[in-house]
């Protein structure tokens, strides 16, 4: 087991669930139960030699994921569906842009949704003639952690100009609101927010 075989959903479940355990033994037990689709109680009751073997096989989780995409491919088969990689960022549909800009606000929790803006079933345009919820589920349930991380890093880099556009829009909106605002405290908060956005813009971050 490693990042090339562990699904993204299991990876997220691990990181979300281990927060609720107070000791390393329980955390390791929870990790094993998620990775190998076992009940927590069954892991607790297995022979210690088998437990140690499974725990050792999960050691890779201590290390970062390789998120550098080695090869660009034209199509990707996920759960029986062939997906094309949409890379023509400048010609995104308006609905595609709106969905992407909404998802990027909570990027850490919306990676499958972000990727659904760029992985389009063969023969379709974005969210037209297919079930986009299935696409999101396919990404979450069937792509490996490494595939998801590499694709998301690639598309986020590719869409930097789009992200900068979103930030500029936010800055312009805040400046217009600040000019109309009479409360000094609120204006000061808006000014601070603008400064934060401008600093993000200078390094190209959302």
């Amino acid at each position: 087991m490693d990042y090339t075989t562990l699904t993204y959903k299991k990876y997220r479940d691990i990181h979300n669930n281990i927060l609720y355990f107070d000791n390393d033994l329980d955390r390791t037990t929870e990790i094993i139960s998620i990775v190998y689709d076992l009940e927590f109680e069954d892991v607790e009751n297995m022979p210690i030699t088998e437990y140690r073997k499974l725990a050792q096989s999960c050691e890779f989780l201590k290390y970062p994921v390789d998120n550098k995409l080695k090869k660009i491919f034209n199509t990707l088969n996920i759960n029986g569906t062939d997906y094309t990689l949409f890379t023509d960022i400048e010609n995104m549909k308006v609905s595609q842009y709106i969905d992407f800009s909404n998802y990027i606000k909570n990027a850490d929790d919306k990676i499958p949704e972000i990727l659904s803006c760029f992985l389009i079933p063969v023969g379709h345009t974005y969210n037209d003639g297919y079930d986009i919820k299935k696409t999101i589920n396919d990404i979450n349930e069937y792509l490996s952690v490494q595939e998801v991380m590499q694709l998301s890093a690639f598309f986020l880099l590719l869409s930097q100009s789009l992200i900068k556009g979103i930030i500029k829009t936010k800055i312009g909106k805040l400046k217009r609101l600040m000019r109309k605002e009479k409360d000094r405290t609120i204006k000061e908060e808006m000014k601070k927010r603008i400064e934060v956005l401008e600093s993000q813009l200078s390094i190209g971050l959302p």
Side-chain angles (χ1 to χ4, degrees):
M1 183 66 68
D2 57 27
Y3 286 127
T4 66
T5 53
L6 183 70
T7 65
Y8 182 73
K9 182 182 185 302
K10 286 185 177 181
Y11 179 74
R12 290 300 300 171
D13 286 346
I14 288 168
H15 281 270
N16 290 335
N17 290 8
I18 61 174
L19 298 174
Y20 299 102
F21 295 93
D22 297 326
N23 61 75
D24 289 340
L25 183 61
D26 283 345
R27 280 192 286 270
T28 301
T29 301
E30 176 68 3
I31 289 170
I32 292 171
S33 71
I34 293 173
V35 170
Y36 291 100
D37 298 310
L38 299 170
E39 294 295 330
F40 188 90
E41 293 76 14
D42 291 338
V43 179
E44 284 185 311
N45 293 323
M46 68 174 48
I48 189 66
T49 52
E50 184 179 355
Y51 182 93
R52 286 175 178 168
K53 182 179 178 180
L54 294 181
Q56 187 174 15
S57 73
C58 296
E59 288 286 306
F60 70 93
L61 290 164
K62 295 180 179 179
Y63 303 98
V65 184
D66 176 10
N67 64 1
K68 186 177 181 180
L69 191 63
K70 305 294 189 301
K71 182 177 71 173
I72 304 298
F73 37 82
N74 294 325
T75 61
L76 178 64
N77 187 280
I78 312 174
N79 190 29
T81 300
D82 287 328
Y83 290 91
T84 58
L85 276 68
F86 181 88
T87 57
D88 190 7
I89 301 300
E90 295 300 320
N91 289 306
M92 293 180 80
K93 293 168 66 173
V94 173
S95 59
Q96 199 172 2
Y97 171 86
I98 291 171
D99 287 345
F100 172 78
S101 62
N102 285 330
Y103 295 145
I104 201 69
K105 294 173 185 175
N106 299 292
D108 287 344
D109 297 320
K110 296 290 184 180
I111 294 297
E113 287 84 355
I114 290 171
L115 289 183
S116 75
C117 294
F118 304 104
L119 290 173
I120 317 296
V122 172
H124 296 272
T125 58
Y126 178 72
N127 201 15
D128 184 20
Y130 67 96
D131 184 358
I132 197 166
K133 290 182 179 178
K134 178 185 181 301
T135 297
I136 294 170
N137 185 70
D138 282 350
I139 294 167
N140 196 38
E141 296 269 3
Y142 295 98
L143 281 187
S144 71
V145 178
Q146 184 163 300
E147 288 173 318
V148 168
M149 293 304 190
Q150 290 181 350
L151 285 169
S152 60
F154 170 73
F155 282 119
L156 288 175
L157 180 63
L158 188 67
S159 58
Q160 266 194 345
S161 61
L162 193 62
I163 295 170
K164 287 182 178 180
I166 294 170
I167 295 174
K168 288 178 180 178
T169 299
K170 289 180 179 179
I171 291 172
K173 185 177 180 180
L174 277 170
K175 285 182 176 179
R176 289 192 297 273
L177 290 172
M178 192 170 73
R179 284 194 293 267
K180 295 178 182 179
E181 183 58 55
K182 296 180 179 180
D183 189 299
R184 289 185 179 179
T185 302
I186 296 176
K187 287 189 76 167
E188 188 60 32
E189 288 300 317
M190 286 181 173
K191 182 180 178 182
K192 289 179 182 178
R193 179 56 180 158
I194 290 170
E195 289 173 353
V196 169
L197 289 170
E198 286 177 337
S199 67
Q200 291 174 341
L201 187 60
S202 67
I203 56 174
L205 295 177

